[in-house]
Amino acid sequence: MSLIRKTAADLGAMIASGEVSAVEVAQAHLDRMAEVEPKINAFLHIDAETTLEQARVVDARRAAGEQLGPLAGVPIAHKDVFTTSDMPTTAGSRILEGWRPPYDATVTRRLREAGLVILGKTNLDEFAMGSSTENSAYGPTRNPWDLSRIPGGSSGGSSASVAAYEAPLSTGTDTGGSIRQPAAVTGIVGMKPTYGGSSRYGLIAFASSLDTPGPFARTVLDAALLHEAFSGHDVMDSTSVDAPVPSVVEAARNGDVAGLRVGVVREFGGQAEGYQPGVLARFQESVELLESLGAKVVEVSCPSFTTALPAYYLIAPSECSSNLARFDAMRYGLRVGDDGTRSAEEVMALTRAQGFGPEVKRRIILGTYALSSGYYDAYYGQAQKVRTLIARDFEAAFQQVDVLISPTTPTTAFPIGERADDPMAMYLADLCTIPSNLAGNAAISVPCGLADEDGLPVGLQIMAPVLGDDRCYRVGAAVEQALRDRWGGDLLSRAPEL
């Protein structure tokens, strides 16, 4: 098996043993990127020499006898919403084109400390606002399973890079499903940790009470190893949870669900409108699979989940309208019309008109309206009350069961352009994922098969309580192993060659 098809865990072990060097592994992935990037457009920034220099440093540290972590020397693709002092950070927007931050995000710093080799920065929906990566100012990313389809969003570049074997690991952010939904539609693993379990310092903010950094990988264990590498308390993030990182790697190695109580969310699936039959079929097979592994499966009702989508699309735009006010053309980034004849206000207006894309403008307008005098209580205030009801539904459910499950997304990857002019249809892609963001609990998506209609990947979502991240990995590992045994390999082995 070529190096690019090895798991991150295997690559780390091979580098540690001296079987292969970090430079050789990095070069193999750079070669793959050169081969498939013209088709995929997963990356916004690639610097091969910087990548190889990082790999050489890892090899030198190991040669000097330094004890390094399990992922030292393993390549990773990094979502272009995390600040990087040695690479541009654009958040997929023209307003930050070419900006080089003066500091690293905490997630970036921890990746470096763990010895991971950053291959480059990945494409995303502008400021992480979208479910298809079509909203990037730098062109859409394409799904490796079918180049005419979306790779999910907003972390579509990250998911596509892993699914296309350009990188064994990648980072993403999940505000309303932006890790789990791309993972589902590209046939890989994507995890949204407990809110506050991974630092937001240096993450360009979309919605501060929702944004959560997390890992992408091709296996549950690889995701757990990356999760552990960059998570944990950070004094630079006031919302960071001051608690130990759950035992995610141990859980991923365990994968025993005998006796575990699993709740099927009644409100997600069944005969509900908008669910693709092939998605529901694979989900039902996953339910039966968990029962065959000894889990006790029951149906659980979470009635407030049906109101999560409208609540989210008031809360998230409200926070984005506040957060994006910092892009004022005065301090950094794009500046339009500054010819000495215009006022600061005029320059600001011209810059924002040219620098922000249509979806970002739409959400800023929505959020500003929801926060405006006379409407705050009716919209934003009511949405926060709904958020409380959703959290209570989770609390009640987790008194009955250990984890909840649902389809990750109602459909498989849709064609590029199909929903571009229909924001409501686009927003429905996150129907099943949004409740976990509003409540702040942990959730993961793992591949569970291919839909009959189009042969495209389907994801199983596993939700756990706050700081119950290890439960997601435990159940995910059990499903992954059972399906590998059934399929005779992983799901990506069934993907067409690029």
Side-chain angles (χ1 to χ4, degrees):
M1 183 187 293
S2 66
L3 288 176
I4 63 167
R5 293 183 182 267
K6 295 285 187 183
T7 68
D10 286 345
L11 287 173
M14 291 168 68
I15 294 168
S17 70
E19 182 180 345
V20 67
S21 70
V23 169
E24 289 173 306
V25 173
Q27 188 62 61
H29 286 87
L30 288 169
D31 291 346
R32 174 65 173 176
M33 292 158 67
E35 177 189 354
V36 303
E37 257 308 280
K39 304 174 187 177
I40 301 294
N41 191 35
F43 286 86
L44 294 180
H45 177 80
I46 300 169
D47 183 342
E49 187 49 47
T50 298
T51 295
L52 293 172
E53 180 56 32
Q54 294 173 73
R56 284 191 282 268
V57 168
V58 172
D59 286 335
R61 290 171 66 189
R62 190 158 322 264
E66 191 174 338
Q67 292 297 311
L68 303 177
L71 295 178
V74 176
I76 186 168
H78 202 23
K79 186 176 180 178
D80 196 28
V81 75
F82 294 100
T83 56
T84 44
S85 57
D86 58 349
M87 292 178 249
T89 301
T90 70
S93 179
R94 291 291 180 198
I95 209 162
L96 282 176
E97 187 170 5
W99 180 57
R100 284 183 177 262
Y103 68 101
D104 279 343
T106 295
V107 169
T108 305
R109 175 175 58 80
R110 288 178 174 170
L111 294 179
R112 298 191 201 279
E113 290 171 351
L116 284 136
V117 175
I118 299 174
L119 292 165
K121 305 294 287 296
T122 56
N123 200 10
L124 67 151
D125 285 298
E126 185 179 4
F127 286 104
M129 297 179 197
S131 302
S132 65
T133 317
E134 293 172 281
N135 294 328
S136 170
Y138 305 99
T141 298
R142 298 180 180 274
N143 192 321
W145 285 81
D146 181 342
L147 296 177
S148 71
R149 295 181 183 253
I150 58 100
S154 63
S155 310
S158 293
S159 65
S161 68
V162 173
Y165 296 100
E166 295 179 279
L169 299 169
S170 64
T171 58
T173 58
D174 197 309
T175 305
S178 287
I179 291 174
R180 291 160 289 157
Q181 184 254 3
V185 301
T186 57
I188 63 173
V189 177
M191 173 71 180
K192 185 200 88 71
T194 293
Y195 176 79
S198 51
S199 175
R200 293 187 300 108
Y201 178 72
L203 165 62
I204 297 176
F206 163 17
S208 300
S209 74
L210 300 163
D211 297 341
T212 308
F216 285 101
R218 290 194 289 270
T219 71
V220 172
L221 176 58
D222 284 358
L225 288 165
L226 180 55
H227 182 142
E228 191 173 81
F230 67 62
S231 297
H233 181 58
D234 180 19
V235 295
M236 301 297 287
D237 177 2
S238 63
T239 60
S240 178
V241 176
D242 191 2
V245 179
S247 305
V248 294
V249 174
E250 181 184 338
R253 294 187 191 279
N254 175 8
D256 178 14
V257 296
L260 201 74
R261 299 170 301 162
V262 175
V264 176
V265 179
R266 181 183 302 162
E267 286 71 20
F268 290 155
Q271 301 304 310
E273 184 179 351
Y275 285 83
Q276 193 172 318
V279 169
L280 293 178
R282 298 295 84 76
F283 175 67
Q284 185 55 41
E285 288 174 4
S286 299
V287 173
E288 294 166 2
L289 176 65
L290 285 166
E291 286 182 314
S292 73
L293 295 173
K296 300 176 181 178
V297 179
V298 298
E299 188 176 73
V300 176
S301 178
C302 299
S304 296
F305 283 16
T306 58
T307 59
L309 194 69
Y312 173 86
Y313 278 103
L314 286 169
I315 293 169
S318 295
E319 294 187 13
C320 111
S321 75
S322 176
N323 279 325
L324 269 61
R326 71 192 65 179
F327 300 102
D328 57 8
M330 298 296 114
R331 290 164 287 186
Y332 50 82
L334 183 69
R335 182 178 295 180
V336 177
D338 186 15
D339 58 5
T341 67
R342 293 184 173 89
S343 68
E345 289 79 9
E346 289 175 310
V347 171
M348 189 184 305
L350 288 169
T351 300
R352 288 172 171 170
Q354 186 171 316
F356 288 141
E359 182 62 24
V360 171
K361 291 174 182 175
R362 179 183 293 116
R363 297 198 193 194
I364 290 172
I365 292 167
L366 277 171
T368 304
Y369 182 83
L371 293 174
S372 61
S373 177
Y375 296 99
Y376 180 97
D377 289 337
Y379 292 107
Y380 184 75
Q382 288 295 104
Q384 290 288 16
K385 291 176 182 177
V386 170
R387 184 178 196 169
T388 300
L389 294 176
I390 290 166
R392 288 176 180 170
D393 274 1
F394 270 118
E395 290 169 7
F398 289 131
Q399 289 177 359
Q400 304 172 56
V401 296
D402 299 302
V403 296
L404 294 169
I405 60 171
S406 76
T408 305
T409 188
T411 69
T412 56
F414 48 86
I416 291 173
E418 183 180 80
R419 303 185 187 182
D421 298 322
D422 189 348
M424 279 305 300
M426 186 74 76
Y427 297 165
L428 287 170
D430 298 327
L431 186 68
C432 302
T433 53
I434 281 173
S436 291
N437 294 95
L438 291 172
N441 59 285
I444 195 171
S445 178
V446 296
C448 64
L450 304 177
D452 300 320
E453 303 92 335
D454 49 29
L456 293 173
V458 176
L460 169 69
Q461 179 176 220
I462 303 153
M463 297 164 275
V466 168
L467 293 177
D469 305 48
D470 53 324
R471 298 187 195 177
C472 292
Y473 286 101
R474 178 182 170 188
V475 178
V479 171
E480 177 183 72
Q481 187 56 56
L483 289 177
R484 279 172 176 249
D485 292 344
R486 178 181 295 178
W487 298 333
D490 66 11
L491 191 68
L492 281 176
S493 65
R494 300 159 70 182
E497 286 293 327
L498 284 169

